[in-house]
Structure formats: structure tokens, C-alpha cells
């Protein structure tokens, strides 16, 4: 111990030091507590508030406007045989941007359409929109075209002119031009495409899709039974669909 | 040596005389923890943010696993992105490290179980890990890759539960000056102090020498 400070004064200095340290410690502890409480409250607000806000902003609007041919909220557009006619119901889930859906349309689109047009089946097309905003715009335009009675024409045209996935395709101008190409030129169609009249319905369909357990496109159900994709990887051949339809028609 | 309080006697029970910041874990362990924090936390923040900006896709992803009843799957789809962000941010800044790592690790276990179950059931889905909405073209699933990644992140979480003291953490800044590395096993509120630094060097070492003798 090398020090010149006499005993008592050294003791005082120690006491003072101890006091000072205690005060600093208390201050640090208060600061720590404040930060921790703020962090806990912040995390809870983020999780519960964020979740609730996201739900309120994104839940499908049950009262959204529905295009012609749609039986109820979230349902697809129906063609061919009437509901309750006893004919097989073919539910087709597809995304206008999905390349394999484009394949299906190319290989089987016209034949499937004939089944509906001839009244052999009730064809319900559910336009999915999980690939992106382009899909939402195309699905909305599909609804707009249904009001004009030309949904399947626009459907065929869009697949024939399918842009690469997520490339910003299916612009409003593209969709208006597509409408014109299939003979829809009404002001109603134009404002419908521009204003996203059926965006709410498109969201309903998306919600309905995941609720129905459909996790990929194209997916085909015949009379509520999902068709396994067998011969062609990732998609269906027309024969697969046709034989399921025939089986359903005779059962 | 009146300044030596009970806490300090207990703490130095191991009889070690090294400086506080050198005691306890090997020097590189807290740095491994920092890397684990940034990996797990960073991944959670990114995954959560990507889901949050397309939250309907997150809902669809949860439903695609077909493991939870409808309402619960919907609720999870809406809250999971924000839970991931919250836990991820806590890990990145290093606050409540142990609790956050435990939650993050549990999430990873849950994800691995979900993905493995989807794989086993032959489902054809995207894991939805980074907010892609559960749908995938046939034959484009990446289950093994997803499981390996989440398994690795689980190990990062496990490591942090074991050793929550890490470098460059808020836990360290807030309590670190008086946190004792020997007390890793205590919770994050561990308030024990190692105040030798405040004494002059000679006194400090004298105190330590005294304690060491006392324990011997």
C-alpha cells in the first residue's frame, strides 16, 4: 500500500466512491429497465397491431362487386351447363401469368371450351392471382369481359399473348387492346379495366383458392374431386380431363 | 477490504483472478454468438418483411400446409410476419437475446416440422418461407433445401439459448459493464457487478488476491 492520504480522509473518499457507484448503478439499472419495457411493449404492439392491421386492410371484402356469371362471393365465372343441371362441374384454377396454364390452354383450351359450349359440362374458371399484380389486372379484365359476354374470348387471347412471368405485362393498355381484339370496345369495359372494378372479387377468389386447398395452378376439379396430374408433368392432358368428365357423367 | 461485498465473494468462487472481461467463456464464443444472432435475426427480419408486404400470400402459405384449422391458419398467416420481424429485430440488436433466440429456434422447429410433413404428404407447395404464397409449379419444390436452412438456423438459436452473452449487443451495453461472463447461466436481468475497475489497480488486485487466498 503506497499512499500518502491519511486514514480517515481515505475512508471518506471510499465512502463517497461507494455512494457514487451505487448512484451510477441505480441509474444504469433504471435505463436498462426503461429500454427493456419499451422493447417489450414495442414488440407486442408490432405483432398484435401489425397482424390486426394487416387483417383489416387485406381481408376480402364480402360485398365486393361480382362480374356476370359469378354465383357468389369468391366463386369463379361459370360457362356451359346451368347450375343444378346434373352435368359434371369442371373447376379450373389458373393464373393468367402461369406458363403451365398457358400450356394447358394451348393443348386443351379449345376442347375444354367445346365441352362447355355444347352443354356437356359446367365449366367454372377461377382466376388465381398469386403470381403478382399482373395477374390481378388480367383477372379483373376477365371479369370485365364476362359482363360483355366475351370472357372466354379474352381468356384465349390473353393466353395466346402471355407475357413472361412477373415482367410487368398485362398493362391496362395491353388489356384494353386485348379487349378490342376480341370485339369489346365499350366505355364500360374500358372503365372497368382501368378502375379495377373487380379487384375485390379477384381478392375473394384468391382467398377462396387457399381455403379450397389449391396450392398450384393449373388445378382441375371434376365434381369437387381434384384431378391428379399424371401424364404431362405439372399439367393435364385433355384426355385426363375428358375421362374424368365421362366418369362423372355416368356415375 | 470492506469494499468486497458478498456478491463479489460469490462471484469469484472459482478463484480466478483474470480481468472480468476475460473470465468465463473462451474469447471467441461471444463472437460466434454475434454471428448466430445476425444470421437468425437477419433471416427472420427479411423473411418477415417479405411476408408482411404481401400478407395475403403469407395467409395462403399457412393454409397450403393444411395443418391448422381455417381460422387459426388465417390468424397465424396475418401475425407470423410481424412476429418474425419483432423477434428478428431483437436478435439483431441483441436485446432479450436468450428469449428471442428461444422463440426464433422454436419457429424454426415448427417450420421444419411443417415442411417435412408437407414433403411426406406429397404436397406440392412452396414453403412460403420468404412470402411467396404457398403455390409452386409442379416438380419445383425445394423441401430438402428449406429443411437444411431452417435446421441450421435452429442450431444458431440453440447456441444463443446456451450462450446468450454476445459481442455488440444491447444486452451487453445496457448491463454489460457489470455483467459477469461467468454468469451466462443466469437470465438476462443478471445484475451482478464486477466493479474492480473502479478501484485503483493496486487495491483491486489486492482484493482479488485476498479473495483467492480466502477460497483456497
Amino acid at each position: 500500500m503506497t499512499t500518502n492520504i491519511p486514514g480517515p480522509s481515505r475512508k471518506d473518499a471510499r465512502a463517497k466512491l461507494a455512494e457514487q457507484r451505487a448512484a451510477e448503478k441505480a441509474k444504469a439499472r433504471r435505463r436498462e429497465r426503461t429500454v427493456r419495457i419499451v422493447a417489450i411493449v414495442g414488440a407486442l404492439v408490432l405483432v398484435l397491431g401489425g397482424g390486426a392491421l394487416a387483417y383489416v386492410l387485406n381481408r376480402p371484402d364480402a360485398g365486393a362487386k361480382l362480374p356476370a356469371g359469378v354465383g357468389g362471393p369468391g366463386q369463379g365465372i361459370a360457362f356451359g351447363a346451368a347450375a343444378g343441371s346434373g352435368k359434371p362441374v369442371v373447376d379450373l384454377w389458373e393464373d393468367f401469368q402461369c406458363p403451365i396454364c398457358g400450356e394447358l390452354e394451348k393443348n386443351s383450351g379449345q376442347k375444354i371450351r367445346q365441352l362447355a359450349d355444347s352443354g356437356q359440362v359446367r365449366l367454372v374458371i377461377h382466376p388465381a392471382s398469386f403470381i403478382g399484380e399482373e395477374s390481378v389486372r388480367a383477372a379483373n379484365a376477365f371479369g370485365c369481359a364476362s359482363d360483355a359476354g366475351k370472357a372466354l374470348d379474352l381468356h384465349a387471347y390473353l393466353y395466346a399473348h402471355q407475357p413472361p412471368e412477373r415482367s410487368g405485362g398485362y398493362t391496362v393498355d395491353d388489356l384494353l387492346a386485348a379487349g378490342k381484339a376480341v370485339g369489346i370496345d365499350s366505355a364500360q369495359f374500358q372503365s372497368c379495366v382501368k378502375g379495377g372494378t373487380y379487384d375485390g372479387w379477384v381478392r375473394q377468389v384468391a382467398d377462396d383458392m387457399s381455403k379450397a386447398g389449391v396450392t398450384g395452378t393449373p388445378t382441375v376439379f371434376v365434381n369437387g374431386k381434384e384431378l391428379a396430374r399424371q401424364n404431362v408433368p405439372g399439367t393435364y392432358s385433355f384426355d385426363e380431363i375428358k375421362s374424368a368428365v365421362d366418369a362423372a357423367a355416368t356415375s | 477490504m470492506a469494499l468486497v461485498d458478498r456478491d463479489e465473494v460469490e462471484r469469484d468462487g472459482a478463484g480466478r483472478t483474470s480481468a472480468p472481461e476475460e473470465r468465463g467463456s473462451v474469447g471467441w464464443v461471444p463472437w460466434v454468438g454475434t454471428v448466430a444472432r445476425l444470421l437468425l435475426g437477419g433471416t427472420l427480419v427479411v423473411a418477415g418483411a417479405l411476408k408482411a408486404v404481401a400478407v395475403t400470400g403469407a395467409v395462403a402459405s399457412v393454409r397450403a400446409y393444411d395443418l391448422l384449422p381455417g381460422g387459426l391458419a388465417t390468424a397465424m398467416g396475418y401475425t407470423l410476419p410481424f412476429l418474425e420481424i419483432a423477434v428478428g429485430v431483437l436478435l439483431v440488436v441483441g436485446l432479450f437475446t436468450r428469449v428471442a433466440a428461444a422463440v426464433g429456434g422454436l419457429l424454426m422447429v415448427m417450420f421444419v416440422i411443417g415442411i417435412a410433413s408437407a414433403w411426406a404428404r406429397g404436397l406440392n407447395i412452396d414453403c412460403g418461407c420468404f412470402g411467396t404464397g404457398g403455390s409452386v409449379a409442379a416438380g419445383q419444390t425445394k423441401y430438402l433445401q428449406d429443411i437444411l436452412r431452417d435446421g441450421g438456423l435452429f442450431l444458431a438459436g440453440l447456441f444463443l439459448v446456451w450462450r446468450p452473452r454476445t459481442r455488440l449487443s444491447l444486452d451487453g451495453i445496457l448491463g454489460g459493464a457489470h455483467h459477469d461472463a461467468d454468469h451466462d447461466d443466469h437470465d438476462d436481468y443478471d445484475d451482478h457487478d464486477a466493479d474492480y475497475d473502479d478501484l485503483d489497480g493496486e487495491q483491486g488486485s489486492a482484493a482479488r488476491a485476498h479473495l483467492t487466498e480466502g477460497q483456497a
Side-chain angles (χ1 to χ4, degrees):
Chain A
M1 298 291 165
T2 60
T3 173
N4 297 325
I5 305 166
S9 142
R10 191 187 154 97
K11 209 171 167 187
D12 285 354
R14 277 191 187 175
K16 210 169 168 190
L17 185 61
E19 209 172 278
Q20 209 177 321
R21 264 201 284 142
E24 275 165 20
K25 244 195 278 182
K27 199 177 157 199
R29 217 165 276 166
R30 275 198 303 275
R31 191 188 54 182
E32 179 175 2
R33 189 158 300 150
T34 309
V35 172
R36 289 191 184 279
I37 289 172
V38 167
I40 286 187
V41 172
L44 285 177
V45 167
L46 175 65
V47 175
L48 300 178
L53 189 68
Y55 174 71
V56 169
L57 292 179
N58 289 286
R59 77 180 149 191
D61 172 12
K65 205 165 173 246
L66 304 177
V70 174
Q75 294 181 20
I77 301 180
F79 307 90
S85 65
K87 298 287 183 190
V89 178
V90 177
D91 282 288
L92 169 58
W93 298 84
E94 50 174 27
D95 188 307
F96 278 106
Q97 280 196 90
C98 137
I100 314 176
C101 303
E103 288 294 307
L104 178 68
E105 173 69 18
K106 201 161 81 184
N107 299 330
S108 319
Q110 282 308 309
K111 293 177 203 160
I112 295 172
R113 183 174 178 170
Q114 273 161 22
L115 288 181
D117 285 346
S118 61
Q120 294 177 65
V121 302
R122 177 174 174 80
L123 171 66
V124 184
I125 299 182
H126 307 255
S129 51
F130 66 91
I131 298 178
E133 283 305 305
E134 301 92 337
S135 307
V136 175
R137 289 195 294 269
N140 172 65
F142 181 50
C144 301
S146 183
D147 288 348
K150 293 199 177 265
L152 286 177
D153 294 332
L154 187 81
H155 182 268
Y157 185 91
L158 290 182
Y159 275 116
H161 299 81
Q162 190 184 46
E165 272 181 286
R166 296 190 181 91
S167 64
Y170 293 139
T171 63
V172 167
D173 285 344
D174 291 346
L175 294 165
L176 290 176
K180 204 171 270 182
V182 300
I184 325 170
D185 205 8
S186 65
Q188 194 199 351
F189 177 76
Q190 290 180 8
S191 73
C192 177
V193 169
K194 285 180 190 161
T197 302
Y198 296 125
D199 283 358
W201 167 69
V202 174
R203 272 196 294 277
Q204 289 176 351
V205 172
D207 198 51
D208 201 54
M209 169 170 162
S210 61
K211 279 183 181 159
V214 176
T215 57
T217 54
T219 295
V220 171
F221 288 81
V222 175
N223 276 358
K225 193 164 168 269
E226 186 174 348
L227 224 58
R229 307 180 183 98
Q230 287 163 346
N231 298 335
V232 186
T235 183
Y236 306 89
S237 69
F238 179 71
D239 291 344
E240 283 165 347
I241 296 172
K242 183 71 167 59
S243 58
V245 166
D246 290 344
T250 53
S251 67
Chain B
M1 294 299 154
L3 281 183
V4 178
D5 61 27
R6 232 183 113 253
D7 260 4
E8 285 168 331
V9 174
E10 277 177 1
R11 190 161 353 89
D12 249 5
R16 274 178 273 187
T17 56
S18 52
E21 59 272 21
E22 284 167 4
R23 275 179 288 150
S25 321
V26 190
W28 50 267
V29 168
W31 285 110
V32 174
T34 304
V35 172
R37 253 177 47 218
L38 293 179
L39 277 177
L40 180 57
T43 307
L44 282 170
V45 169
V46 171
L50 286 172
K51 286 191 193 91
V53 296
V55 75
T56 49
V59 176
S61 288
V62 177
R63 284 178 186 156
Y65 283 94
D66 202 13
L67 286 172
L68 296 173
L72 208 57
T74 306
M76 183 170 165
Y78 281 112
T79 47
L80 181 65
F82 301 97
L83 178 65
E84 287 182 328
I85 294 174
V87 173
V89 167
L90 287 178
L91 282 169
V92 168
V93 301
L95 194 59
F96 296 114
T97 303
R98 171 170 279 168
V99 177
V103 175
L106 274 179
L107 283 176
M108 292 305 149
V109 171
M110 223 167 68
F111 296 158
V112 168
I113 291 173
I115 296 166
S117 132
W119 197 2
R121 284 176 291 158
L123 297 188
N124 196 38
I125 62 174
D126 176 279
C127 74
C129 306
F130 298 94
T132 34
S135 303
V136 68
Q140 292 191 356
T141 53
K142 287 180 259 179
Y143 294 125
L144 183 62
Q145 186 185 319
D146 294 331
I147 287 176
L148 289 178
R149 184 198 52 234
D150 288 353
L153 291 171
F154 164 73
L155 291 180
L158 201 63
F159 180 88
L160 288 167
V161 171
W162 176 49
R163 286 289 146 97
R165 290 284 142 66
T166 62
R167 300 286 179 207
L168 309 176
S169 72
L170 261 186
D171 281 333
I173 292 168
L174 287 172
H178 44 260
H179 269 157
D180 187 341
D182 278 348
H183 283 225
D184 272 353
D185 298 349
H186 291 259
D187 66 23
D188 287 323
Y189 297 102
D190 189 343
D191 264 328
H192 295 295
D193 296 352
D195 282 328
Y196 294 123
D197 313 345
D198 291 352
L199 296 163
D200 69 73
E202 202 189 344
Q203 271 184 330
S205 41
R208 271 178 236 125
H210 170 81
L211 281 165
T212 309
E213 282 159 24
Q215 293 289 320

